[in-house]
Amino acid sequence: MVLILGVSAGAGGARALLTHSDQPHMPPVDRIRVSRRAGGSVEESVLTAIHRMRAAAAERDEYISGTAVTCRSELQADAIRAAAGQADFAIVDEPLAQLRYLRFSGLLPATDSVMLYDLGSSGLTITHADCRTETILASKRSTALSGNGYDALLRWQLARSGVSADAHATREHRESLSRTRVVTAADADTGGRAVLTRSDLAALCEAGLHHSASFVRLLIEETGVQPGALALLGGCTRNPSLRADLAQLIGLPIVYDPEPEYVSARGAVLLCARRPSARLRMPRRGAAVIGVPPRQGRRKLLAAVAVTATLGGTVAGLLSNENTSARSPEQGTAPTTAHFIDGAPHWKPN
């Protein structure tokens, strides 16, 4: 079989799927998720995912005709290229991959532009894209809300109930609330138990969602173009309550793929199949990175922003403590470089 490997790079690691170039919407032949290790880099996760997928395909006598990796910035793309050395794969712009797949799958309505709402582990990226010319009209990123932040808030809420949970367990609880309405968290040391509901998570997310709604309105004002839909991307958008709240706050038709965290990788497959050797970039009319919400006149939004600031301090403290405890003195934070031995990446500190 001749297959295409699509990989998406994110702050939490990499996701890769192997599929036929004309069937990225179908269940893939193979897939893998490589979490970013403590002290590791995004490029390490990407190259590890590529190596594992290629090795697994070779064992099954399958031929990978091309590989494409999505990146959200030139800085990230340059880091991956530097670590990869002479490795052969294409670097593609993540919003372009997302838009290309949404159009291919027929999820997008007949509209001139769309808002891509990508909520991942490290933050939120909102991109206003022209569907006809595949041009980015405007893009903004915020770290005021993220999967890691919500996990930290869930741990804080559990701690108030006398239940201690690590980062991995809390993430599992959050992801479980996307599938069921109620989960029970248990403390292995004390035997304590606490119940978490979707309503609990929705309450923790409320301020951040108001903040993101102001983001969307700001981009619409900047571009002067009314989008025809809001496409929800990233694993955090699996939660039904979050999707319903966003639809009510923003007032746009919602576009949602059942596996929103794999949309980027599926789009990479399409781009690689068309231009397997090119370094593709999406034309950009404007881009910015900001970390604080714009001022709004509405009292409700001001209140939401105030809550976000209060919770943000709690989240920052929790995440800071986790990052400190996750690294031993021997690990440190030194960057790593890939050295290929027998085709496999081996990581050494620079």
Side-chain angles (χ1 to χ4, degrees), residues 211-229:
H211 161 70
S212 69
S214 68
F215 247 31
V216 172
R217 285 189 283 270
L218 179 62
L219 257 66
I220 295 175
E221 291 177 2
E222 288 184 358
T223 62
V225 178
Q226 180 66 28

Side-chain angles (χ1 to χ4, degrees), residues 47-340:
L47 296 183
T48 299
I50 293 174
H51 170 69
R52 291 181 184 176
M53 292 292 276
R54 287 178 174 175
E59 290 180 359
R60 299 191 299 263
D61 292 326
E62 296 165 348
Y63 174 66
I64 299 178
S65 63
T67 301
V69 179
T70 67
C71 293
R72 70 177 50 164
S73 68
E74 277 299 314
L75 183 63
Q76 188 181 69
D78 289 342
I80 293 175
R81 291 190 190 105
Q86 299 301 314
D88 182 23
F89 55 79
I91 299 289
V92 301
D93 204 348
E94 186 171 51
L96 174 58
Q98 294 168 342
L99 181 60
R100 186 68 61 88
Y101 175 72
L102 292 174
R103 294 181 64 184
F104 171 87
S105 61
L107 290 173
L108 283 182
T111 180
D112 291 339
S113 71
V114 64
M115 199 70 73
L116 304 176
Y117 184 105
D118 190 350
L119 181 56
S121 61
S122 64
L124 170 69
T125 302
I126 299 180
T127 305
H128 195 175
D130 188 303
C131 298
R132 299 167 300 172
T133 62
E134 293 190 336
T135 300
I136 292 182
L137 305 178
S139 181
K140 294 188 183 295
R141 180 166 174 81
S142 171
T143 57
L145 69 162
S146 65
N148 291 340
Y150 291 145
D151 292 346
L153 289 174
L154 278 177
R155 278 193 298 283
W156 171 71
Q157 180 162 316
L158 288 173
R160 294 180 61 191
S161 302
V163 173
S164 177
D166 59 21
H168 177 72
T170 312
R171 178 173 181 172
E172 287 190 342
H173 295 327
R174 174 173 58 82
E175 292 179 347
S176 295
L177 288 173
S178 298
R179 302 185 295 270
T180 183
R181 292 183 176 276
V182 180
V183 298
T184 301
D187 191 320
D189 295 328
T190 66
R193 300 169 71 85
V195 174
L196 293 172
T197 68
R198 277 186 187 169
S199 298
D200 295 330
L201 183 58
L204 295 175
C205 294
E206 182 178 7
L209 293 184
H210 280 281
H211 161 70
S212 69
S214 68
F215 247 31
V216 172
R217 285 189 283 270
L218 179 62
L219 257 66
I220 295 175
E221 291 177 2
E222 288 184 358
T223 62
V225 178
Q226 180 66 28
L230 180 74
L232 302 183
L233 309 165
C236 294
T237 62
R238 277 183 172 269
N239 190 287
S241 298
L242 181 147
R243 298 198 300 271
D245 290 344
L246 279 174
Q248 184 175 10
L249 282 171
I250 297 176
L252 290 173
I254 296 297
V255 173
Y256 174 74
D257 185 87
E259 293 186 321
E261 66 273 31
Y262 279 97
V263 167
S264 296
R266 294 183 190 276
V269 168
L270 289 170
L271 293 176
C272 183
R274 295 196 177 194
R275 296 173 63 184
S277 62
R279 290 181 177 179
L280 303 179
R281 292 190 180 95
M282 191 173 187
R284 295 173 181 265
R285 198 177 85 181
V289 179
I290 63 176
V292 295
R295 296 183 63 185
Q296 296 290 329
R298 293 187 180 181
R299 182 178 303 175
K300 187 172 184 179
L301 282 177
L302 287 173
V305 170
V307 174
T308 301
T310 303
L311 295 181
T314 303
V315 173
L318 290 170
L319 293 178
S320 176
N321 290 337
E322 286 175 6
N323 291 336
T324 302
S325 61
R327 296 190 296 267
S328 65
E330 293 78 13
Q331 286 178 318
T333 58
T336 57
T337 300
H339 299 268
F340 285 82

